[in-house]
Amino acid sequence: MDLLGAGVPTALAVSSQIAIGTSNGLVLVFGAGQALKWCLSSVAAGAKYGPVSALSFNVDCTRLLCAFSKGQITMWDLTNGKLLRSIDSAHMPDAGIVSVRFTDDRTMAVSSDTRGAVFEMKFRHLIGKRTCESQCLFSGVRGGICVVEPLRMQNFIPDFVDGVVQIVAMASQNRAVIVAVRPQFKIVHFQDLSGDSGSFPSLAWQGLSMKTGSSMAQPALAIAKDQTIRIVQVFCEDADDVKVSDFQEVRVSFELLSISWVYPNTMIVLDVHEVAHVLDVNSGEELEFIDLTDIGFVYDVNICDCSTERESPEIGSLVKRLCSQSFVTSDGQLFILGSKGIHVLMLRSWSDRLDLLVRHGCYDAALDLAMSFYDGTAKAVLGLTGSKDKRRDTVIVKVISLLDSFVDLSMTRFSPSHGKVELLETHYQKVVSVCVETCLHVRKLDFLFGRVYEKFAEDVIAKDVFLECLEPYILKDELKHIAPVVMKDFLVHYESKGMLSAVDACIVHLDITNLDTKEIIDHCWEYRLYDALIYVYNRGLHDYVTPLGRLLSRLAQSLETESPLTKDHAQLGNKVLVYISCCLCGRSYPLDDLPSDLVIPVRDGVLECLAVDEVDEHGKSGKNFPHLRTLVDFGAREFFNVLELAFDVDDLEMDKRQSIVDKILEMMVEDTKFTATQFGALFTFLARQMGRHDRSITVDTVLFDRVLESLCAAKENLRHEECQQALIELLDTDHLNNFERNRLIAHAESAHFFRVCEKLYTLNREFDMVLPCYWNDSARQGITFKYILENLSGTSLTDVERAKIRVKVIENFDRLVKINSRESAKLVLLGYIGDLRQVAKQLMKKEAELFSFLHNVYEFHSNNPETVDFVVKDLEGEPAVLEKYIEMMCRKSPEEIVGFLKSNEGYRLEETMDICQRYQVIDAVVYLKEEAEDFEGAFDILLQKLQSGLDAMDRNGAKVAAAERANDVIVQFLQKNSFRINSSQRELFWFSNLKAIMTAQENLRLLLKASREKLYAGCAVDQAKKDFSTSNGISRGLESGVRLTNGGTILAYDEALQSLNKMMHRVIDAMMTYFPMQLILQRVLSNPAYVSGTFGELKDLLLGVLDSTVYETTLINTCALLANKDIHDRLTSLVGTASRGVFPERGRCRLCSVSTAMVHEKESVVCFQCGHSYHYACLSDASALAELPEGQRVWKCMQCDRRFRPGALRPRKMSESVTSSALSSVERQAQVSSFKAVRKSLKSPSKFQMLLQLKENPEGGRAPRLVHCERFGLRVTAPPPPP
């Protein structure tokens, strides 16, 4: 190109020839041998029309369209290199051509320019003159077209014949459109495009035969933008019927620049970073990628540089990223135009891909890829053609060749040359696994057990590994056929390794038709391979009875000689039971089903074998039914379960079922060596069979009774619940109608079949006898109470039956209490059983039950007082019961006694007090003395308790909580009872409490003083005094290096002294309610502790008294303000009511109905606030006057006042009342007096009257404060002083 002066390449077109456009306007055409065939156009034309921007071959590659960046289009004849047409009017002047494309029609092409317009060009050749007609398809006014791609069916259907339908796909930035240009212009499909506005759309056609239902390829269009590729299929049935349907959508992780199909379902896409990606369209999987940044990718930048016409805003700078003329595919090859040459990328064929992996030594990957070719799941497969079977045969040949080479190399070059044996075994395991899986996959077992096994057999280790690797494939039923030679070596190897159990498991998964049956049977008997033995007999010899008889005989010998059985013989017995179950149920051991023609013969043969009466193996008679005996001895329960499963089969004859049952009964009833467990299994089996709806089995009554007796008389019963359930099911049928019911009850009680007893007693309507069936059954004790309530509250029982239940419950009430004392209490309290007094007296001799019962009684009463209060009150008539309960509470829960005493009555005070004193329950004793009005004794006890707490504080200053609690109890006691004792006792009690506290204060101060003096003596006195003069003296003394041995004691004394001060303040605050302040201060200041003390010690006391006084004063003032406000509001309301005008509702008197307007001048009318009006004379005659407490008389409305309503009580003065002649004057006077007394007692004092009480002085001394009144509801104390 440099020699020709063509410039740099700008455009590329590929068909059977290759055409390259240059920046100087030349077009270089190369033939098949890459030889330059034509050099079209000239440098002068390039200077005039600009660089070549687009090229396009027609279908047969005889014509070439060449478009220039300034809008010129030329057509060249490639047979002789002549210019056929030069078209300058196809587009707007100086509009750059972006693309030009021939269609399937040789006389038609489409092109697009930088303005976004699309034109159709029709070529004509008439009378030696070549013409071109241009028609605009899209003007680009509403959106410029970025890319145009006509559908050319010849590209993917070589024998396609030109049709009349011409389809063109176009895409703008926001939308893709498919139009039919011929036979008439029609928009077939449009689709909105999403994604980044800076991304460029791309279009590519390809023929696909998927999802169409036929082998004929249908055109598919790939539309790419941003990171999304959408594929639609076009169906063209005829010229007027073109349909488009969505096919698939593929999303990628990179921004797309251009796309191109290389094969159906395989696409190469170019991203904005110039990386080419190979995609599988169906799965969306990326198969490979290659970086193209080094080739100097050619973009269509010359189009915009040379065009002078204004570009479309939709195209703009995006056209500079256009590369559709540099990224071209043809015949499965991708041609890429670079700045220095053309680069060709192509996909390898399937065999080349395998060979490449083999050359790199990747045999595992090569075999995996070959398997994907065999399965048809590989992606981008080239060169593998033909039908499915033909493709597989081709692949198998290649696989066998690969596998043969792989085994040879694995045994030689790939084999470890040194190291441990385990390393070599691991290597062979990997190789054998690959060989087995590959041969299984392609079904070439002859190659596996032929050439492959021969190679592995050359090495001992490799051979052993090969044989052991076959086991997992056999067990998974993937390998069912093994060559006889390999099978023989397999048995020998596992025998030498002692792994015969693995052989037993493997044989049952193999097809043994090609194996030596006799040799395998001998090996099975010798090495106890029982599963394999049964399998070989069944599948190889079609014999199902012989192995069963021989196995039962061996099991019988083991049972006679071994106790207990060895693991091998126990395993043998279990296998025999499973085998019997399979044969009787129509199953093949150990897997699958029996053939339908063998089900009945096999079942009959097995039953006959089980019921054999003697064994003639040694020519001697054996025991009766030896096989049945062997099975019962080995596992009776399991054997009878097997029979039960067999009996559930519908087509088993009735006589055969009955026969086997009769023989079992005959064998077991006549022999006394069977255990209770075995009889239990037999009984369960018989009961279930007799209880079947079809009544298939009948049992002799005598034999069944003997079985039941044996079961109930046995000491052991390991299947108790199962036997009981079976008997219950049997009772639901009529098979036991001939049995005496009482005898059945006796048997059931002996065997502890409580549910059976319940059912039998219920049938006899002995409901009271059902109760022991519940409380004796540990599993059902909890529902005893539910049964009692249901029967006593229901209507299904008679009165006599309910009475029997009550008697039974009362007689055994202690047992019910042991089961659930709470539910027992509910039975009595809700009135279902007896009365509380009777039950409690019955439990007097059983303390634990009585306590638990009464505890729940009172707990239920506290939660439901209104429901059961009258029942609990009845217990108060039995003081001995209550005192017994109180005594037990003293032992078990003394903290609950006081609450119980307060909420209950009926106990005797003296006896209860003795009990509480005996168990040292001080709080209860105090309460009882208080109830007995022995206030002095109660106070003495509390004072002793306080003194004990104060003494403990003296001994150890840290123990202050007990003293504080004792002081609080005394204060509460005195506050509650101060109004019940006389003034002298009140003074004695309060000041005794105060004296005890002040005495403790004095003693504690002396101890504190002595401790400090002792501390001073051990160190520098001046320094210590200086340290202790501060609040943190102890710590400062320690910091100064002084040894303060009593520092902790002094701190404890200080804390205790502070606590005593708080206690004294609490007492004084409470005393101020009952004693003058002067008296309290006088007593306090007369105490030696305060006489000799400093003012600092009195300061806190005086401040506390002043705070209380201020608080009470504030409280009284606040109450007065509230009362005054209420009075003011009420008076304001009354004044407003009295000042409001009154308008009568009706103009008539409510008594005489005469108009109030027609009255005499001297007559008066009375009108009330309610609107009712009366004549004065009418009201006077009706006595409508009411007398107030102050002696005033006021009018009352006859209609609104309830005293004047019909039937209401009208109070009258005694002088005016009219009563019945039956009452005397004395009786009438007493009646009126009583009525007034009731009204007075119900009337509460007004707020005003309460305020007047503040001025009263009932005892001539200081007036008591309102808050000191006992009836005053506001019980508050002064807030604590600020810290």
Side-chain angles (χ1 to χ4, degrees):
M1 295 178 63
D2 295 336
L3 295 176
L4 298 174
V8 297
T10 58
L12 174 68
V14 179
S15 183
S16 59
Q17 302 180 61
I18 299 176
I20 301 175
T22 67
S23 59
N24 290 338
L26 296 180
V27 178
L28 305 180
V29 181
F30 296 87
Q34 298 186 6
L36 180 61
K37 187 176 180 180
W38 303 107
C39 179
L40 307 177
S41 189
S42 62
V43 176
K48 180 178 181 181
Y49 302 128
V52 177
S53 60
L55 297 171
S56 178
F57 288 106
N58 66 349
V59 175
D60 56 3
C61 204
T62 59
R63 299 289 187 269
L64 175 67
L65 282 177
C66 178
F68 295 87
S69 58
K70 291 186 178 181
Q72 186 75 9
I73 299 176
T74 60
M75 178 185 289
W76 299 87
D77 186 351
L78 296 183
T79 60
N80 52 26
K82 292 183 177 180
L83 177 65
L84 300 180
R85 291 180 177 85
S86 180
I87 308 167
D88 55 5
S89 60
H91 290 265
M92 296 296 292
D94 296 329
I97 305 300
V98 176
S99 66
V100 62
R101 292 287 188 272
F102 268 113
T103 65
D104 282 336
D105 188 353
R106 303 169 187 267
T107 64
M108 178 180 173
V110 292
S111 61
S112 63
D113 58 22
T114 54
R115 297 183 60 194
V118 178
F119 288 85
E120 171 192 0
M121 294 181 291
K122 299 178 182 179
F123 306 115
R124 298 286 188 268
H125 187 192
L126 299 174
I127 314 175
K129 184 178 181 180
R130 302 179 185 273
T131 61
C132 177
E133 298 178 1
S134 177
Q135 181 180 356
C136 182
L137 299 180
F138 281 91
S139 64
V141 175
R142 296 185 179 181
I145 298 299
C146 301
V147 59
V148 177
E149 196 66 42
L151 172 59
R152 298 180 63 173
M153 294 294 292
Q154 281 93 349
N155 289 344
F156 42 87
I157 305 179
D159 56 349
F160 179 78
V161 180
D162 292 347
V164 295
V165 179
Q166 296 297 329
I167 297 176
V168 179
M170 295 171 280
S172 65
Q173 278 292 95
N174 302 320
R175 178 170 295 184
V177 182
I178 301 176
V179 298
V181 180
R182 291 184 181 177
Q184 59 181 2
F185 185 83
K186 178 182 179 181
I187 297 178
V188 177
H189 175 75
F190 67 89
Q191 184 172 341
D192 293 333
L193 301 180
S194 59
D196 187 8
S197 59
S199 60
F200 200 83
S202 181
L203 303 173
W205 288 96
Q206 178 61 37
L208 299 179
S209 59
M210 302 177 63
K211 299 185 180 180
T212 60
S214 66
S215 59
M216 180 178 178
Q218 296 289 341
L221 175 66
I223 307 169
K225 188 176 188 298
D226 198 6
Q227 297 182 353
T228 304
I229 303 174
R230 296 179 178 87
I231 302 174
V232 296
Q233 273 193 301
V234 179
F235 302 92
C236 183
E237 300 296 337
D238 52 48
D240 297 326
D241 187 11
V242 179
K243 297 180 180 178
V244 178
S245 65
D246 293 333
F247 180 77
Q248 195 168 357
E249 181 175 309
V250 179
R251 292 187 178 274
V252 295
S253 59
F254 44 83
E255 184 179 349
L256 298 166
L257 185 60
S258 183
I259 62 173
S260 185
W261 295 87
V262 287
Y263 289 100
N265 303 320
T266 305
M267 181 182 294
I268 296 181
V269 300
L270 182 70
D271 65 15
V272 294
H273 301 292
E274 298 183 357
V275 177
H277 304 263
V278 181
L279 297 181
D280 179 72
V281 175
N282 289 334
S283 62
E285 179 182 355
E286 181 178 339
L287 306 180
E288 194 175 353
F289 66 90
I290 183 171
D291 191 352
L292 305 178
T293 54
D294 295 335
I295 67 176
F297 209 82
V298 175
Y299 293 93
D300 298 345
V301 296
N302 297 316
I303 301 175
C304 296
D305 293 340
C306 299
S307 61
T308 59
E309 189 68 22
R310 185 177 181 181
E311 299 172 353
S312 171
E314 284 78 5
I315 300 177
S317 62
L318 296 179
V319 76
K320 297 181 180 181
R321 300 172 60 188
L322 182 65
C323 60
S324 59
Q325 298 297 319
S326 306
F327 194 77
V328 182
T329 57
S330 178
D331 294 333
Q333 296 177 328
L334 175 65
F335 295 84
I336 303 173
L337 181 61
S339 59
K340 298 297 183 179
I342 299 175
H343 303 267
V344 182
L345 302 179
M346 57 183 173
L347 300 180
R348 292 185 178 91
S349 66
W350 70 278
S351 58
D352 291 340
R353 292 164 66 179
L354 293 177
D355 293 340
L356 178 63
L357 292 173
V358 170
R359 285 196 299 271
H360 289 84
C362 302
Y363 278 88
D364 292 344
L367 289 171
D368 291 340
L369 181 59
M371 291 302 99
S372 65
F373 292 148
Y374 180 84
D375 296 333
T377 58
K379 308 294 190 303
V381 182
L382 303 181
L384 191 59
T385 59
S387 64
K388 181 178 181 180
D389 293 338
K390 183 178 179 180
R391 293 195 304 270
R392 285 192 168 186
D393 292 340
T394 305
V395 173
I396 288 175
V397 174
K398 189 69 174 180
V399 168
I400 296 300
S401 176
L402 288 174
L403 202 58
D404 192 20
S405 302
F406 175 63
V407 174
D408 287 338
L409 293 173
S410 299
M411 300 293 292
T412 56
R413 191 174 68 183
F414 294 161
S415 178
S417 59
H418 60 276
K420 296 182 179 180
V421 177
E422 290 78 5
L423 182 62
L424 187 60
E425 290 178 348
T426 303
H427 167 71
Y428 285 140
Q429 286 175 358
K430 294 180 180 179
V431 175
V432 172
S433 298
V434 172
C435 294
V436 174
E437 290 177 359
T438 303
C439 291
L440 286 174
H441 201 121
V442 299
R443 301 175 184 177
K444 282 294 181 179
L445 296 181
D446 54 342
F447 178 74
L448 175 66
F449 296 125
R451 182 170 177 79
V452 174
Y453 181 66
E454 291 173 0
K455 291 184 178 182
F456 279 101
E458 295 174 359
D459 186 279
V460 176
I461 297 176
K463 179 181 178 181
D464 292 344
V465 171
F466 182 91
L467 295 173
E468 291 177 6
C469 287
L470 297 179
E471 180 185 349
Y473 298 99
I474 296 173
L475 296 179
K476 291 188 293 185
D477 291 329
E478 295 178 0
L479 182 61
K480 285 184 170 294
H481 301 276
I482 298 180
V485 176
V486 180
M487 186 64 192
K488 183 177 179 180
D489 294 343
F490 184 80
L491 291 174
V492 173
H493 171 72
Y494 274 84
E495 179 183 354
S496 64
K497 294 290 185 179
M499 302 166 59
L500 291 172
S501 59
V503 178
D504 193 18
C506 289
I507 290 178
V508 299
H509 292 271
L510 293 174
D511 184 0
I512 62 172
T513 55
N514 298 327
L515 301 179
D516 188 347
T517 305
K518 184 178 184 306
E519 184 178 357
I520 294 179
I521 290 176
D522 293 340
H523 280 87
C524 291
W525 278 116
E526 181 180 358
Y527 300 114
R528 299 179 180 180
L529 307 180
Y530 301 121
D531 285 343
L533 176 70
I534 296 173
Y535 182 79
V536 173
Y537 266 108
N538 293 167
R539 299 296 177 90
L541 303 177
H542 301 290
D543 186 356
Y544 293 85
V545 178
T546 302
L548 176 60
R550 297 184 65 179
L551 292 175
L552 285 173
S553 299
R554 176 168 289 191
L555 180 61
Q557 294 174 5
S558 303
L559 290 171
E560 292 177 357
T561 58
E562 300 175 3
S563 181
L565 288 176
T566 63
K567 182 179 179 181
D568 291 339
H569 289 146
Q571 188 178 14
L572 169 61
N574 292 327
K575 291 179 182 295
V576 169
L577 288 173
V578 175
Y579 178 64
I580 294 173
S581 176
C582 291
C583 293
L584 295 180
C585 296
R587 301 279 297 174
S588 177
Y589 181 85
L591 303 171
D592 301 328
D593 293 331
L594 285 172
S596 58
D597 58 334
L598 293 179
V599 172
I600 295 177
V602 170
R603 183 192 304 156
D604 294 344
V606 170
L607 289 176
E608 184 177 354
C609 178
L610 294 178
V612 67
D613 191 19
E614 61 182 9
V615 177
D616 57 354
E617 183 177 357
H618 302 289
K620 297 180 181 180
S621 299
K623 298 178 181 180
N624 292 337
F625 312 112
H627 291 338
L628 291 177
R629 185 180 299 274
T630 299
L631 292 172
V632 172
D633 289 340
F634 173 76
R637 178 181 181 182
E638 291 75 14
F639 172 59
F640 288 126
N641 286 340
V642 169
L643 285 183
E644 187 171 353
L645 290 174
F647 285 7
D648 288 338
V649 179
D650 296 333
D651 57 352
L652 181 61
E653 292 83 353
M654 192 69 63
D655 56 343
K656 293 180 180 179
R657 302 183 188 184
Q658 188 66 49
S659 175
I660 196 73
V661 170
D662 293 341
K663 291 176 181 179
I664 293 173
L665 283 172
E666 180 183 351
M667 174 190 68
M668 295 189 66
V669 171
E670 294 179 357
D671 195 339
T672 59
K673 295 182 181 180
F674 291 102
T675 64
T677 302
Q678 293 169 337
F679 273 109
L682 174 62
F683 174 79
T684 304
F685 169 70
L686 294 177
R688 289 176 178 172
Q689 294 305 313
M690 294 170 64
R692 289 171 60 95
H693 296 294
D694 55 2
R695 302 183 182 181
S696 57
I697 298 299
T698 58
V699 179
D700 183 72
T701 304
V702 177
L703 292 177
F704 187 80
D705 190 54
R706 291 179 62 181
V707 172
L708 189 58
E709 285 182 358
S710 301
L711 177 65
C712 297
K715 300 293 184 181
E716 57 174 322
N717 193 352
L718 302 179
R719 303 176 61 201
H720 178 274
E721 192 60 32
E722 187 175 353
C723 296
Q724 182 173 205
Q725 182 61 36
L727 186 54
I728 291 175
E729 294 175 1
L730 193 58
L731 286 173
D732 293 333
T733 66
D734 57 357
H735 287 280
L736 297 181
N737 291 342
N738 297 329
F739 285 81
E740 185 181 352
R741 189 169 292 175
N742 292 332
R743 184 174 177 80
L744 282 176
I745 293 176
H747 284 320
E749 290 179 345
S750 175
H752 292 173
F753 289 167
F754 296 116
R755 291 197 291 137
V756 175
C757 294
E758 176 193 359
K759 191 172 187 64
L760 294 173
Y761 281 130
T762 303
L763 294 174
N764 291 341
R765 296 194 68 83
E766 298 180 44
F767 299 102
D768 56 323
M769 298 303 296
V770 174
L771 293 176
C773 300
Y774 280 99
W775 62 54
N776 290 327
D777 190 351
S778 58
R780 302 193 303 156
Q781 287 180 345
I783 60 176
T784 305
F785 304 94
K786 180 180 178 181
Y787 176 81
I788 295 173
L789 291 174
E790 287 178 352
N791 285 277
L792 293 183
S793 61
T795 59
S796 59
L797 274 65
T798 64
D799 294 339
V800 176
E801 291 169 344
R802 282 195 287 269
K804 288 182 179 181
I805 291 177
R806 291 191 182 95
V807 172
K808 193 73 172 180
V809 170
I810 293 175
E811 291 176 353
N812 299 272
F813 198 77
D814 55 333
R815 303 192 64 168
L816 295 178
V817 174
K818 288 181 179 180
I819 296 172
N820 192 325
S821 58
R822 180 179 178 82
E823 295 297 327
S824 302
K826 287 174 64 176
L827 281 178
V828 177
L829 292 175
L830 297 179
Y832 290 103
I833 302 297
D835 58 359
L836 185 57
R837 295 175 61 180
Q838 178 186 2
V839 173
K841 289 173 64 177
Q842 183 178 341
L843 296 175
M844 282 290 290
K845 296 181 180 180
K846 300 183 178 181
E847 292 186 358
E849 287 79 3
L850 177 63
F851 177 77
S852 178
F853 172 70
L854 291 180
H855 180 76
N856 284 280
V857 165
Y858 286 108
E859 181 180 356
F860 188 81
H861 174 251
S862 63
N863 297 329
N864 306 273
E866 298 180 357
T867 306
V868 298
D869 186 67
F870 68 95
V871 182
V872 178
K873 292 295 182 183
D874 185 48
L875 192 60
E876 296 177 356
E878 292 292 337
V881 175
L882 293 178
E883 291 160 8
K884 187 69 175 178
Y885 178 61
I886 293 172
E887 182 179 358
M888 290 184 289
M889 287 184 68
C890 291
R891 295 200 301 264
K892 297 183 178 182
S893 53
E895 68 280 356
E896 300 179 0
I897 293 180
V898 175
F900 175 78
L901 295 175
K902 290 180 179 180
S903 59
N904 294 278
E905 300 177 356
Y907 51 86
R908 294 169 292 187
L909 289 177
E910 294 182 0
E911 286 76 1
T912 305
M913 194 179 303
D914 293 339
I915 294 171
C916 296
Q917 287 176 346
R918 191 188 321 144
Y919 291 99
Q920 297 296 317
V921 187
I922 303 302
D923 295 339
V925 174
V926 171
Y927 173 76
L928 292 172
K929 286 183 175 294
E930 183 180 350
E931 289 296 308
E933 297 188 355
D934 184 6
F935 302 109
E936 185 175 355
F939 178 75
D940 290 342
I941 294 173
L942 294 176
L943 189 62
Q944 290 177 6
K945 190 174 181 180
L946 173 63
Q947 193 64 50
S948 300
L950 295 175
D951 293 342
M953 290 178 61
D954 292 343
R955 293 192 299 272
N956 187 351
K959 296 182 178 180
V960 298
E964 290 179 350
R965 288 195 297 269
N967 181 64
D968 291 340
V969 172
I970 291 181
V971 170
Q972 293 173 5
F973 171 80
L974 294 176
Q975 285 179 331
K976 181 173 62 174
N977 296 298
S978 288
F979 290 101
R980 301 174 62 186
I981 58 180
N982 55 43
S983 59
S984 60
Q985 284 183 319
R986 183 189 309 144
E987 184 176 348
L988 175 64
F989 292 166
W990 279 106
F991 285 104
S992 296
N993 184 23
L994 184 61
K995 181 180 178 181
I997 297 174
M998 290 190 297
T999 302
Q1001 284 179 323
E1002 183 179 0
N1003 295 336
L1004 207 56
R1005 288 194 182 98
L1006 294 175
L1007 289 174
L1008 182 60
K1009 182 179 179 181
S1011 297
R1012 287 178 175 174
E1013 291 176 354
K1014 184 178 179 180
L1015 181 62
Y1016 298 154
C1019 61
V1021 177
D1022 294 338
Q1023 179 65 30
K1025 288 184 178 180
K1026 181 179 178 181
D1027 293 339
F1028 278 102
S1029 64
T1030 63
S1031 59
N1032 200 16
I1034 297 292
S1035 60
R1036 292 190 178 183
L1038 291 172
E1039 292 173 359
S1040 63
V1042 180
R1043 298 184 61 187
L1044 303 178
T1045 57
N1046 289 340
T1049 303
I1050 294 174
L1051 287 177
Y1053 285 160
D1054 282 337
E1055 293 177 359
L1057 192 59
Q1058 293 177 7
S1059 178
L1060 286 174
N1061 292 335
K1062 293 179 182 179
M1063 292 165 58
M1064 190 178 71
H1065 292 166
R1066 168 91 167 90
V1067 175
I1068 291 175
D1069 288 342
M1071 291 176 64
M1072 290 173 62
T1073 305
Y1074 311 101
F1075 303 101
M1077 180 62 65
Q1078 297 87 343
L1079 179 62
I1080 297 174
L1081 292 177
Q1082 180 182 355
R1083 292 292 185 92
V1084 172
L1085 296 177
S1086 64
N1087 188 277
Y1090 288 96
V1091 171
S1092 60
T1094 62
F1095 177 74
E1097 296 174 348
L1098 296 174
K1099 179 180 177 182
D1100 293 339
L1101 174 64
L1102 296 176
L1103 288 176
V1105 173
L1106 291 176
D1107 288 339
S1108 299
T1109 304
V1110 171
Y1111 174 73
E1112 291 187 3
T1113 304
T1114 304
L1115 181 64
I1116 293 174
N1117 293 334
T1118 302
C1119 293
L1121 289 174
L1122 293 174
N1124 291 334
K1125 185 177 183 304
D1126 290 346
I1127 294 173
H1128 178 269
D1129 293 342
R1130 182 59 179 167
L1131 289 175
T1132 302
S1133 176
L1134 292 175
V1135 170
T1137 302
S1139 303
R1140 186 170 62 245
V1142 178
F1143 181 77
E1145 293 181 356
R1146 295 166 54 186
R1148 296 181 180 276
C1149 176
R1150 292 285 177 167
L1151 292 178
C1152 64
S1153 299
V1154 178
S1155 174
T1156 55
M1158 301 174 61
V1159 295
H1160 194 268
E1161 294 180 358
K1162 294 183 178 181
E1163 288 187 11
S1164 300
V1165 176
V1166 179
C1167 186
F1168 294 94
Q1169 293 287 341
C1170 57
H1172 300 150
S1173 57
Y1174 303 88
H1175 292 115
Y1176 178 83
C1178 294
L1179 280 179
S1180 299
D1181 296 339
S1183 301
L1185 286 173
E1187 185 174 348
L1188 298 179
E1190 295 80 4
Q1192 300 177 357
R1193 300 177 70 187
V1194 296
W1195 295 106
K1196 291 293 182 179
C1197 178
M1198 297 291 293
Q1199 275 195 317
C1200 296
D1201 198 308
R1202 60 182 180 180
R1203 292 175 295 180
F1204 302 107
R1205 295 175 184 171
L1209 177 64
R1210 295 181 60 190
R1212 299 181 179 90
K1213 296 181 181 180
M1214 290 297 299
S1215 59
E1216 303 177 20
S1217 62
V1218 180
T1219 60
S1220 173
S1221 59
L1223 294 176
S1224 63
S1225 61
V1226 177
E1227 291 173 340
R1228 290 195 300 270
Q1229 183 66 31
Q1231 183 183 22
V1232 173
S1233 300
S1234 299
F1235 180 74
K1236 289 183 177 181
V1238 171
R1239 291 186 61 190
K1240 185 177 181 180
S1241 64
L1242 295 177
K1243 186 175 182 180
S1244 60
S1246 64
K1247 295 180 181 179
F1248 180 76
Q1249 291 175 337
M1250 294 171 64
L1251 291 175
L1252 292 178
Q1253 293 179 5
L1254 297 173
K1255 298 180 180 180
E1256 296 179 359
N1257 188 2
E1259 297 182 359
R1262 154 177 98 83
R1265 287 177 288 269
L1266 179 65
V1267 294
H1268 298 158
C1269 179
E1270 183 182 5
R1271 296 180 61 188
F1272 192 77
L1274 189 61
R1275 298 288 185 182
V1276 292
T1277 59

